Each structure stands twice: as C-alpha cells, then as structure tokens.
Amino acid sequence: MINRQLFLMHQAQTTEFPVMLEISHAHGNYLFDVQGKKYLDLISGISVSHIGHGNVQVKDAIIEQLNKHQHVMIYGEFVQSAQVNLAQALTQLLPSNLDSVYLLNSGAEATDVALKLAKRVTQRPNIIACKNAYHGSTHAALSLNSDAYYKDAFRPLLPGVSFIEFNNIASLEAINEQTACVVCEVIQSEAGYVWANPNFLKALRARCTKLGVLLIFDEIQSGMGKTGTLFAFEQIGVVPDILLLGKALGAGMPIGAVLASKEHMMMLANNPILGHITTFGGHPVVAAAAKAGLDVLVQNNLLAGIPAKEQLFISLLVHPEIKQVSGKGLMLAVELSSFDFTLATVKACQAKGLITDWFLFANNRLRIAPPLTITLPEIEEACAIMLEAITETQASMASNNPLSS
Ligand code: PLP
C-alpha cells in the first residue's frame, strides 16, 4: 500500500480535507515532494522553520547531543548542560523579570502551565483572554478560544474564563480583583496577523499592574524574530509578567516554554510540590537544537534584513483583488474577498510551487510567514506566483459566475 493510503487509513486526521502533499525532504527555504517537485515555503510549517530547513549548525548540535545522551530524567531533577545552556541564553535576551524558564513540549502545554502559575501566584480564580485569539488545543488552552464552533463539542471546559475585545481599551474594565491573569498576543496570529495597538497594550499593562493581575503574552507564534525584533513586545515597550514561547524556539524540534520571574516560578515547586511536571519537557536533544537555533539567529543577524523583506512583499503585492496586506515583519496576511477565493488561490499557488495557507479565524487571508532566511529574489518569485494565482482564481470565478461580469 502506498504512503498516501496508509496516511488516511492509520494516521488520525484533523480534517476531512488534508493537503496530502507527500514530502520527501526540505532544504533551505524549499520543500521537495516525492516526485521531486520544489516548493518555496511561505509558511514555515506554521511559523516554525524560521532559519530555514536543515540548518547545519542545528543538525550538528543535535548529533553532538545525541552522542552525549538523550533522555535521562524527567524535567527539573538532573542538571543537564543542554537545558542549562538554553535557559541561560534565553533569559539573557529578555528583561530581568523574565529570568526563569520552564521548558515544555508544546505551545499549548506552555499555555496550561502559565494559567496554573497565574492561579497559584495570585490565588484568584478567573482568566481573561482576547476574542479571536488562539493559544492551543488542549482542554485549558481551548477554553481561551472565543469561537463557539471550535469548543462547544468539548464542553465543559475551564470555568472562570471570559473574553475582552483585542485593541479595545474600554473592554479592559472587565479586568478586576478576581482576575488571575490576562492572556494576550502582541500580534494576533490566527485572526490574520493583527498588530496590537500600543495604547491598548500600555493600558492593559497599567490595569493589570494596578489590580495585581498577571499579564501573559503569548509569543508562541511571533517569537524568535518574526516581527523584526526577537520578541514582538520589544517594539511596544510593554513587558509581560509571563511570556510564552514555542514553535520556532525549537528550530524545527518540538518545544514550549514559559518564562517568568524566579520568585513566581518557585511557586510551582512548593505548596504543592511538583506543581507542574513533565517527562519530556526540556528534552536535551530539543534543547540543544533550540540553543543552536538561537545562535544562528543572533550570529547571522537575521533580524537586520526583515524590514527590507517586509517592504518588498508589501510593494509587490498589489492587485485589484487584494484588499490589504496586514501584519508586521515577516508575519504578513493578504486579505482577499472570501474563503472560496482564498482556498482556490492557495491551491493554485501550490500547483505553481508555492506553499501558503489561510488563518483559523480569518479564512479570507493568505498567510505569509516564510523562513527569515528567505532572499529578496525568492520574495519576488513568491509574489509573482501569488499574483498569477490570484488572477487565475479571479478569472475562473468570473467564468463560473456569469453575474459577476
Ligand atoms: N499560541 C499561539 C499564538 C499559536 O499560534 C499556537 C499554535 O499555532 C499555540 C499557542 C499552540 O502551540 P502548539 O500547537 O505547539 O500547542
């Protein structure tokens, strides 16, 4: 039986319409399918492969760590140099109140741990999240999803969760002395790359500080340079009490991380002891890859090229069907008229060797989140394909709908 049949038969499915591209290998900014066809990667496996695929420094670090040891103990008991090196490097790049990191396996686990930490620190019951945010798919993380369609089938979820409007200062009134934490993104990812209004984040910070509420920034998707700074919050100058990272932090390996102050983090270690435990969190091979990925990003100064790359995308993506290009840095979204138009364009792009996608809560937007290593000629290639695909979609929709002409 061929792989495609086995995939459908034995692998759990997340949708009835999987893309089904059969990948042979990936290198640099390209994926290759089993027929040898080459695809420019405009989504990095949803914001993961930020330094491109198959980076030699990362592969070497993985092999070096494999030769030393793989798993030796659950997280937090033994001293393992791969974890220590990553924790030191990461905390050195962050404001001084984020000086302790809990290494985990995924973004959703990081969300769960942050909620537990906020409840433990504040001894308060309630959690506030923003509408149209996505923080993961586990029970607790799903509870922060404001979209009834995605969560109703899984109720009951976490109690005490309510929602405020992103970028709406008036909605901050909902935060009160019963609130343990507010979870917020600096750039709302699955809403279609919507950048936070700096005044909203400043007002949010002030209200949280005033009421003793912990402010949690989810930079699982935006972290590691994608908006042009290592962390998006640096551009606004608002520092959270808890920071969530994941995705690109692992440089292609599975990871999640919660950063907080040492004082707060210690509260997961007493009353109760073992407030959060994980077998594989901080896996040494993953930690070694993450540290190498961080080194690649910093040593090659990959952030320096991002403004010019952003500008090139924006200047080239001009078409009567494009309503706007939103986002920041190399997290951009191209707004089209409808989901049907977007879906047809994504398919046309794939046929022409370009991988793009839409967003969970903005299915009329095309996702642009390439590796930060994408070159200017590759951006020109991507935009030419995208514009061609949009024109073709426009023509085919017009011919299928005589009323539109
Ligand atoms: N938070 C944000 C902003 C995300 O984009 C995601 C994943 O897309 C998550 C959390 C959950 O991360 P994971 O899929 O690793 O559980």
Side-chain angles (χ1 to χ4, degrees):
M1 221 178 276
I2 60 171
N3 275 348
R4 296 167 69 82
Q5 291 167 315
L6 292 169
F7 169 81
L8 290 173
M9 197 179 280
H10 296 300
Q11 245 184 276
Q13 301 294 306
T14 57
T15 150
E16 287 174 34
F17 316 101
V19 179
M20 299 275 287
L21 190 64
E22 193 174 344
I23 296 299
S24 145
H25 60 285
H27 183 72
N29 303 323
Y30 289 88
L31 308 176
F32 297 82
D33 72 12
V34 286
Q35 275 86 39
K37 184 172 168 184
K38 190 177 171 186
Y39 301 84
L40 181 53
D41 183 2
L42 216 53
I43 56 172
S44 313
I46 313 295
S47 298
V48 171
S49 317
H50 67 320
I51 52 171
H53 299 273
N55 181 278
V56 174
Q57 225 170 301
V58 172
K59 285 203 278 196
D60 286 350
I62 289 173
I63 290 165
E64 197 185 323
Q65 182 57 43
L66 275 174
N67 288 333
K68 287 186 194 158
H69 63 88
Q70 298 184 53
H71 180 82
V72 286
M73 186 51 169
I74 59 164
Y75 179 81
E77 296 289 347
F78 291 180
V79 179
Q80 300 176 49
S81 63
Q83 297 177 345
V84 174
N85 292 342
L86 175 61
Q88 186 192 25
L90 204 51
T91 51
Q92 276 175 353
L93 291 165
L94 283 160
S96 59
N97 68 318
L98 301 172
D99 61 348
S100 176
V101 57
Y102 198 133
L103 296 170
L104 300 152
N105 301 284
S106 70
E109 192 187 2
T111 302
D112 280 27
V113 170
L115 300 182
K116 287 169 69 180
L117 180 60
K119 284 183 170 174
R120 169 69 184 86
V121 170
T122 62
Q123 310 276 294
R124 296 175 182 182
N126 295 337
I127 293 162
I128 292 184
C130 293
K131 287 185 185 164
N132 287 332
Y134 179 75
H135 301 292
S137 201
T138 58
H139 256 90
L142 181 63
S143 307
L144 307 187
N145 190 327
S146 65
D147 192 306
Y149 172 77
Y150 286 107
K151 62 180 187 181
D152 275 358
F154 305 107
R155 289 184 187 280
L157 293 167
L158 215 54
V161 177
S162 60
F163 298 94
I164 57 174
E165 299 272 349
F166 187 67
N167 278 345
N168 179 341
I169 293 180
S171 76
L172 300 178
E173 287 297 314
I175 304 168
N176 59 37
E177 280 92 352
Q178 289 300 297
T179 312
C181 60
V182 177
V183 190
C184 185
E185 293 162 277
V186 178
I187 177 166
Q188 259 203 334
S189 296
E190 293 309 314
Y193 293 156
V194 181
W195 186 247
N197 180 335
N199 290 334
F200 171 74
L201 286 193
K202 284 176 188 157
L204 172 61
R205 174 69 277 180
R207 186 147 177 93
C208 286
T209 304
K210 181 174 158 207
L211 296 171
V213 174
L214 295 187
L215 176 58
I216 302 173
F217 278 169
D218 177 347
E219 291 228 33
I220 289 166
Q221 190 159 160
S222 60
M224 317 322 294
K226 297 188 207 89
T227 63
T229 45
L230 201 49
F231 308 103
F233 72 79
E234 294 171 61
Q235 291 178 55
I236 297 192
V238 170
V239 178
D241 301 296
I242 300 176
L243 177 68
L244 309 184
L245 298 177
K247 288 191 179 270
L249 174 63
M253 300 290 270
I255 201 165
V258 175
L259 288 115
S261 71
K262 180 77 192 157
E263 185 198 346
H264 283 169
M265 207 67 105
M266 274 311 288
M267 294 190 194
L268 285 179
N270 69 66
N271 197 21
I273 184 176
L274 308 177
H276 188 82
I277 43 178
T278 162
T279 298
F280 284 124
H283 190 285
V285 176
V286 176
K291 168 68 169 61
L294 200 53
D295 290 344
V296 169
L297 196 60
V298 174
Q299 287 162 8
N300 297 311
N301 201 10
L302 286 179
L303 303 189
I306 293 180
K309 293 176 183 179
E310 175 185 3
Q311 276 320 304
L312 187 58
F313 269 118
I314 290 171
S315 65
L316 293 176
L317 288 172
V318 177
H319 190 285
E321 287 289 342
I322 295 179
K323 296 183 188 309
Q324 64 158 333
V325 179
S326 67
K328 185 76 98 180
L330 287 177
M331 288 179 87
L332 298 172
V334 179
E335 188 179 343
L336 301 170
S337 55
S338 66
F339 176 53
D340 286 347
F341 198 104
T342 306
L343 179 61
T345 306
V346 167
K347 286 185 177 166
C349 284
Q350 187 179 317
K352 294 170 188 295
L354 180 73
I355 304 293
T356 176
D357 190 21
W358 58 88
F359 297 85
L360 216 46
F361 307 124
N363 63 15
N364 63 336
R365 291 184 187 202
L366 289 171
R367 189 187 296 263
I368 298 180
L372 308 182
T373 47
I374 193 167
T375 63
L376 297 177
E378 285 165 352
I379 293 174
E380 284 168 4
E381 177 192 341
C383 291
I385 293 177
M386 207 178 253
L387 294 176
E388 221 178 87
I390 290 173
T391 300
E392 278 178 24
T393 303
Q394 188 184 34
S396 88
M397 288 206 160
S399 67
N400 288 335
N401 178 10
L403 292 179
S404 70
S405 53

